[in-house]
Amino acid sequence: MRMSRIWYREQSDMIHIRGFLARRVAMPTPFAPHIILSHNARTELQALVRAYSTPQSLGLRAHIVLRAADTDTPTNLQIGRELGCCNHTVGRWRRRYLALGLSGLQDAIRPGRPRMIASSTRVQVISVASELPQDQDRTVTRWTLDEIVATLLDALHTDTISRSSIWRILQDVDLKPHKSEYWLNSHDEDFDAKAQTICQLYAKAIESYQQGRLVICCDAKTGMQVLERKTPTKPAQPGRRERREHEYIRHGTRVLINSLAVATGHIAWTIGTTRKATDFVAHLKRASQNLPRMERYDWVMDNLNTHWSLAVCRLVARWCQVPFEPEKLKKGVQRRAFLRDPRHRHVFHFTPKHGSWLNQAELFFSVLHRRFLARGSFPSAKDFERQLERFLKDYTIRHAHPYRWTYTGEPLVRDTPFSRTRRQQRQGRACFSPRPKPFERLLYSPRPYRRQAA
């Protein structure tokens, strides 16, 4: 019994001594892992820190990694004091970056609480919202949350469900039945073949130009309004934008018929008040005089009836020195076939129906609108024509260049396009959105386009 007491006292003294020494001797602290950044990795992290659209949490984590990679090898405690955060936070994101790289700076996916709504009810909500209201025997033509609730309770006899629950279900799958957008379906059976032919001309335009073959895109911009602001425009000042008068005076409209050389970007134009067949023929004559002399010309244009009129066929027959037989060109199909004849020196290529966006002249019209028409104020139609002539000449001399055409004419399918939120990207939702922000492009790169399976 005595021996046991002595042993217990020795053990307690030993424990007391250990605890006493532990209060005076500093515990060993492990060294923070050193981070070595490549030039590209450092550039990406600096871009995240500088971008205004980067979330504050992500910017802090990127700043932590950049500071940890400095040559003075700061400790977690030093970095935390500089950035105003805890040293444990610094250590966490240091380790996450070393283990996972840039993707390690994202928030980890949290499971959350279990779903309270049955899967069958969720499927019913999505199914109803994916159909038109008329298909569910509703009197409205546009879905709302109240209409979806009424449809579910009346027709499908589901359990009680709130509007907020329906909203969350639709948000999870990025389904927005209250929104719509216009969509134009081309009914041209030969759309793919025509698009590929035109895109091949664009792809080989520079090479063909060196071989004596010129590709020309021709189109007309109609309804250009000659507007005069009632009061002069006030220029921009420090802290204030440019101000334009809301009310204006109309001075009529003008039509610009333009031809764009794809290989060089140079243009030839005519300005008038109409776009009749005679106007188009006059433009073709002027364009042939102003554009470079070549052995062959390929004209790309839309299916407007003035582009394949009998007068145009007569002009092409004279250019190509082939017999002109009006009795064989009474129908539009015959005229278009005559103009598309590959044996001619001047060959016309018509864009498919509802495919005028394949014409590169539309790209120049976009430049014209932004640089000249959008903010112009013209006191008269003559002044408008004079300023437009000056702009077109200046563009030809100083800014003309071939456009970069990326569409190849093949059907494109995107599995998961750019998403609006990080959660959508993780869950793989397919929704179109504007250009992603810098941190979204770095962390959530979209899946590449792939060809549609035949």
Side-chain angles (χ1 to χ4, degrees):
M1 187 69 177
R2 180 176 181 141
M3 292 297 295
S4 62
R5 290 179 179 176
I6 295 173
W7 178 84
Y8 179 77
R9 184 179 301 172
E10 291 177 355
Q11 292 294 328
S12 61
D13 293 342
M14 189 179 298
I15 294 173
H16 176 72
I17 292 173
R18 288 178 181 176
F20 182 77
L21 293 176
R23 297 188 185 96
R24 287 166 174 76
V25 179
M27 294 294 292
T29 303
F31 290 100
H34 185 57
I35 297 178
I36 300 176
L37 295 178
S38 63
H39 177 70
N40 293 336
R42 183 177 293 274
T43 302
E44 292 176 351
L45 291 172
Q46 290 175 349
L48 288 177
V49 173
R50 289 194 302 265
Y52 291 102
S53 60
T54 303
Q56 292 293 324
S57 59
L58 182 59
L60 175 62
R61 298 164 192 174
H63 205 166
I64 289 173
V65 176
L66 287 173
R67 186 67 183 92
D70 289 343
T71 55
D72 57 346
T73 61
T75 62
N76 294 343
L77 190 60
Q78 293 175 348
I79 298 176
R81 289 174 179 174
E82 294 177 6
L83 301 181
C85 61
C86 179
N87 59 334
H88 299 289
T89 302
V90 178
R92 179 188 304 112
W93 296 114
R94 243 182 169 174
R95 294 189 299 270
R96 289 275 293 271
Y97 185 82
L98 284 173
L100 303 175
L102 190 62
S103 60
L105 301 183
Q106 306 177 54
D107 291 331
I109 299 178
R110 294 172 175 81
R113 69 172 187 175
R115 289 179 176 177
M116 305 300 295
I117 301 176
S119 299
S120 58
T121 305
R122 297 174 61 87
V123 171
Q124 289 177 343
V125 172
I126 297 173
S127 176
V128 170
S130 301
E131 297 181 357
L132 296 176
Q134 297 85 346
D135 298 337
Q136 294 291 337
D137 196 22
R138 309 301 297 183
T139 58
V140 298
T141 59
R142 174 178 175 269
W143 278 125
T144 61
L145 291 178
D146 293 332
E147 288 291 338
I148 295 177
V149 170
T151 303
L152 292 172
L153 296 180
D154 297 343
L156 302 180
H157 305 290
T158 60
D159 298 333
T160 303
I161 184 170
S162 63
R163 296 173 73 258
S164 58
S165 299
I166 292 179
W167 177 82
R168 283 191 294 269
I169 292 173
L170 299 181
Q171 186 191 32
D172 287 341
V173 296
D174 194 33
L175 182 57
K176 300 180 179 179
H178 63 285
K179 290 188 176 182
S180 67
E181 60 184 12
Y182 283 105
W183 174 63
L184 182 61
N185 183 26
S186 178
H187 303 287
D188 196 329
E189 298 179 355
D190 301 329
F191 182 92
D192 295 339
K194 294 178 181 179
Q196 289 182 6
T197 301
I198 294 175
C199 291
Q200 289 175 3
L201 290 175
Y202 295 159
K204 301 178 181 178
I206 298 179
E207 180 182 354
S208 301
Y209 179 74
Q210 297 173 353
Q211 298 175 357
R213 182 175 178 177
L214 184 63
V215 180
I216 307 170
C217 292
C218 185
D219 201 0
K221 185 171 181 61
T222 61
M224 294 188 300
Q225 299 187 55
V226 183
L227 304 179
E228 178 187 6
R229 301 294 166 177
K230 286 191 174 182
T231 57
T233 300
K234 296 183 179 181
Q237 297 178 357
R240 177 173 292 182
R241 300 178 182 177
E242 177 186 298
R243 291 181 293 174
R244 290 181 294 147
E245 173 62 41
H246 177 73
E247 296 185 359
Y248 52 83
I249 304 173
R250 297 178 181 269
H251 296 290
T253 59
R254 287 297 180 268
V255 176
L256 173 66
I257 305 178
N258 180 71
S259 291
L260 171 71
V262 176
T264 62
H266 291 85
I267 58 176
W269 65 88
T270 54
I271 304 173
T273 57
T274 58
R275 59 167 182 176
K276 299 179 181 178
T278 54
D279 301 322
F280 185 68
V281 171
H283 170 74
L284 292 179
K285 293 179 181 178
R286 181 172 181 177
S288 63
Q289 296 174 359
N290 295 336
L291 293 176
R293 298 290 179 179
M294 292 288 170
E295 298 178 0
R296 181 170 177 176
Y297 299 87
D298 291 285
W299 300 81
V300 178
M301 59 191 67
D302 56 28
N303 290 274
L304 187 67
N305 56 355
T306 57
H307 295 166
W308 43 267
S309 63
L310 191 62
V312 175
C313 296
R314 184 184 295 107
L315 177 64
V316 172
R318 187 172 74 241
W319 279 349
C320 302
Q321 298 180 356
V322 296
F324 175 68
E325 300 175 351
E327 62 277 1
K328 296 183 179 180
L329 302 174
K330 294 182 178 181
K331 296 182 179 181
V333 177
Q334 299 171 343
R335 297 174 186 175
R336 287 193 292 269
F338 173 79
L339 296 174
R340 288 197 301 259
D341 193 342
R343 296 172 296 179
H344 294 170
R345 183 187 177 192
H346 292 260
V347 182
F348 283 34
H349 303 271
F350 297 100
T351 59
K353 187 176 180 181
H354 298 320
S356 59
W357 52 272
L358 291 169
N359 194 334
Q360 285 197 15
E362 300 286 350
L363 301 178
F364 170 75
F365 289 156
S366 176
V367 175
L368 174 67
H369 177 78
R370 294 194 307 269
R371 296 187 180 182
F372 181 78
L373 297 176
R375 298 190 181 182
S377 179
F378 312 101
S380 64
K382 291 184 178 180
D383 183 76
F384 174 82
E385 295 179 4
R386 180 181 59 82
Q387 293 190 37
L388 180 57
E389 286 277 355
R390 182 183 175 187
F391 170 81
L392 296 175
K393 291 178 181 179
D394 179 74
Y395 178 86
T396 304
I397 296 173
R398 299 177 53 191
H399 305 288
H401 65 281
Y403 293 108
R404 181 172 175 265
W405 188 263
T406 58
Y407 180 61
T408 60
E410 299 178 355
L412 300 179
V413 175
R414 183 194 285 273
D415 286 340
T416 305
F418 295 132
S419 58
R420 290 186 175 88
T421 62
R422 292 177 291 174
R423 184 177 59 180
Q424 291 175 351
Q425 184 67 30
R426 291 198 196 103
Q427 297 180 358
R429 301 179 197 161
C431 66
F432 289 96
S433 69
R435 178 177 173 83
K437 297 178 181 179
F439 77 93
E440 293 177 338
R441 296 198 298 270
L442 289 175
L443 297 179
Y444 320 111
S445 57
R447 298 182 185 177
Y449 286 103
R450 64 178 176 84
R451 297 182 180 179
Q452 188 178 18

